[in-house]
Amino acid sequence: MSSSGTTHHGTGRDQLWSVDEHLDDILATVRPLEPIELQLLDAQGCVLIEDVTVPVSLPPFDNSSMDGYAVRVADVAGASEEFPAVLTVIGDVAAGQGEQPTVGPGEAARIMTGAPLPPGAEAVVPVEWTDGGLGEGPASGMRAHSAAPEGASGEVRVHRPAEARAHVRARGSDVRAGDRALTAGTVLGAPQIALLAAIGRGTVKVRPRPRVVVMSTGSELIQPGEELADGQIYDSNSFALTAAARDAGAIAYRVGAVTDDAEVLRSTIEDQLIRADLLVTTGGVSVGAYDVVKEALDSIGDPDDEEGLGAGGGVEFRKLAMQPGKPQGFGTIGPDHTPLLALPGNPVSSYVSFEIFVRPAVRALMGLPDVHRPTARARIAADKALTSPSGRRQFLRGRYDADAGTVTPVGGSGSHLVAALAHADALIVVPEGSTSVEPGTEVDVVLLG
Ligand code: AMP
Ligand code: MG
């Protein structure tokens, strides 16, 4: 923890940490996960940590790019509509067929896209340049898809000449054996996975997706689908943050609401540590009588953290110069120094905190080069000025219009306004120094994607 070395926020208990200081502390603590070998599809979105070399050239053999006839160039030289070359069809070559007929002078083999160019043949004439073998023979014509060499016979009339190698994809024309297919550091999207599969790689070495356990706290919380009793509310945070964790690239586990009991919470956290690369809690971090997260963490601690026990264990609780999201906890717990972020309970606060602090942590664990959401500059589209608390960085919910270059606030600043959050696609960033933002003012917006 770098808290003791940071001077900007002072040392007193009630000093405010800036958003950047808190984020810097998190990113300085969170280390990328150790690489593992994963099946291709499990590696989607992950960072490759090996250079991948092509073992066999692609395509592995010369093959046809068209359905047509494999021919010898001399046999079709000068062919025209009026004077077609008439060739004897000696058989079929289909994709995946091992053995091929040899094309001799005056002969052609019917060939399908992707099939190997048979010996003797020098070019492929597309079926459109021929009579499709319809003129003669019982089984000619491209409608039949028999793979058997005896499936085609008779004659084909070719109306146009072909140059050597016409409609032939050369062996190695895509990549050659020994070429570098992908370099370490590449993020594996669908096209990169396509290449890995095409060169025959079944598994790759990547940094894995972090396993993120999301745990909500609050005795008032019940699960969606249940009947609401007096004083109860539905647990939305654990759903929102599990979805957000997945969206950030994590394998997310949702642990439904834990009651406000430090002992229950402590044992739940300890149970979850086994499957967590990162723990996220919501609620119970303000100064209310039932804010039990600190108390629960006191008794877990981080065995290697000298300040580990007492006052939240390895987790430090801070007040941030931020709205929403003022109370935040961060630190490491348990034998593996698992990072834990304790977020405030209000739904908008927890979501905004996730976007600003947890998402970058998840992406840092994955070793991704870019841990932050993209941002844009946009002018505020509103009827009246927005007010913002002095000395705090405010994150308002907004709708971003890229074409107009504007962002329109949705809902107010209340951190309980889930419906407005659901209509937002951006966070409007009002800097610490601003207490009033006039319509038309240009601001930073975080694009939620
Ligand atoms: P707390 O920080 O635990 O005092 O919670 C602050 C506010 O957020 C209270 O109104 C809680 O009822 C509400 N809240 C806390 N956790 C959740 C949750 N998981 N889902 C929805 N609302 C919550
Ligand atoms: Mg609570």
Side-chain angles (χ1 to χ4, degrees):
M1 308 283 309
S2 65
S3 56
S4 48
T6 314
T7 51
H8 317 277
H9 52 85
T11 49
R13 259 198 117 61
D14 290 326
Q15 289 298 319
L16 289 184
W17 282 58
S18 73
V19 169
D20 295 331
E21 285 166 349
H22 186 62
L23 182 58
D24 286 349
D25 186 30
I26 292 165
L27 293 179
T29 305
V30 169
R31 297 267 71 91
L33 296 174
E34 284 305 312
I36 57 170
E37 190 87 17
L38 284 182
Q39 298 286 324
L40 279 196
L41 285 179
D42 294 333
Q44 184 175 359
C46 294
V47 177
L48 185 69
I49 62 99
E50 56 171 333
D51 290 334
V52 175
T53 303
V54 179
V56 288
S57 294
L58 278 190
F61 46 83
D62 291 350
N63 70 90
S64 178
S65 68
M66 301 289 280
D67 289 337
Y69 290 84
V71 299
R72 299 164 77 98
V73 169
D75 288 340
V76 294
S80 65
E81 291 281 347
E82 206 180 344
F83 302 107
V86 181
L87 304 175
T88 306
V89 178
I90 56 162
D92 273 3
V93 198
Q97 186 179 314
E99 215 176 301
Q100 301 118 33
T102 299
V103 177
E107 293 178 343
R110 198 168 69 143
I111 192 166
M112 319 304 162
T113 303
L117 189 71
E122 298 156 328
V124 170
V125 287
V127 67
E128 293 82 359
W129 297 6
T130 73
D131 66 352
L134 291 175
E136 322 283 329
S140 26
M142 297 307 294
R143 289 178 309 279
H145 270 279
S146 160
E150 57 275 15
S153 60
E155 290 179 342
V156 64
R157 283 157 209 282
V158 179
H159 306 138
R160 287 172 62 174
E163 285 174 20
R165 312 297 291 173
H167 306 110
V168 175
R169 305 160 172 162
R171 168 189 159 83
S173 57
D174 192 351
V175 279
R176 289 176 182 282
D179 281 354
R180 172 82 46 85
L182 295 171
T183 47
T186 303
V187 180
L188 299 179
Q192 292 73 37
I193 288 175
L195 176 55
L196 290 166
I199 63 171
R201 284 294 294 257
T203 62
V204 273
K205 206 163 189 194
V206 294
R207 292 198 194 279
R209 298 171 177 284
R211 297 158 306 156
V212 173
V213 172
V214 175
M215 200 181 297
S216 56
T217 71
S219 299
E220 75 280 28
L221 303 174
I222 62 163
Q223 298 310 300
E226 289 174 18
E227 196 75 34
L228 209 54
D230 270 358
Q232 292 184 323
I233 60 167
Y234 290 117
D235 170 13
S236 61
N237 292 354
S238 67
F239 287 89
L241 301 195
T242 303
R246 239 177 238 168
D247 186 65
I251 296 168
Y253 302 114
R254 189 187 73 88
V255 176
V258 182
T259 54
D260 289 321
D261 177 304
E263 182 47 32
V264 173
L265 184 56
R266 184 197 62 75
S267 69
T268 309
I269 291 174
E270 278 185 344
D271 287 350
Q272 293 297 327
L273 269 177
I274 185 92
R275 63 166 178 177
D277 297 309
L278 176 73
L279 268 153
V280 181
T281 65
T282 75
V285 292
S286 29
V287 287
Y290 298 98
D291 289 331
V292 292
V293 173
K294 280 178 219 180
E295 197 185 332
L297 290 171
D298 275 351
S299 47
I300 300 176
D302 179 329
D304 295 348
D305 187 338
E306 284 123 53
E307 308 155 65
L309 288 171
V315 176
E316 189 175 296
F317 287 85
R318 301 166 179 164
K319 291 193 175 68
L320 261 63
M322 174 178 176
Q323 193 209 47
K326 186 178 180 188
Q328 299 279 344
F330 171 65
T332 56
I333 61 165
D336 298 327
H337 318 298
T338 308
L340 181 145
L341 283 92
L343 311 182
N346 274 305
V348 177
S349 313
S350 71
Y351 176 71
V352 169
S353 302
F354 188 100
E355 283 294 336
I356 304 302
F357 303 119
V358 185
R359 185 182 166 96
V362 168
R363 297 177 71 78
L365 285 165
M366 295 180 77
L368 286 167
D370 197 359
V371 300
H372 296 293
R373 288 276 198 194
T375 59
R377 296 284 290 170
R379 280 171 288 105
I380 298 277
D383 307 335
K384 52 182 173 48
L386 309 176
T387 56
S388 180
S390 162
R392 300 233 236 144
R393 189 178 302 179
Q394 191 183 35
F395 295 93
L396 293 167
R397 277 64 64 203
R399 281 202 73 82
Y400 174 62
D401 183 335
D403 295 333
T406 58
V407 65
T408 308
V410 290
S413 60
S415 47
H416 61 293
L417 301 173
V418 188
L421 176 64
H423 293 113
D425 60 9
L427 296 175
I428 301 169
V429 185
V430 182
E432 288 81 346
S434 305
T435 51
S436 174
V437 185
E438 294 298 326
T441 307
E442 209 177 68
V443 290
D444 283 328
V445 293
V446 178
L447 306 177
L448 298 175

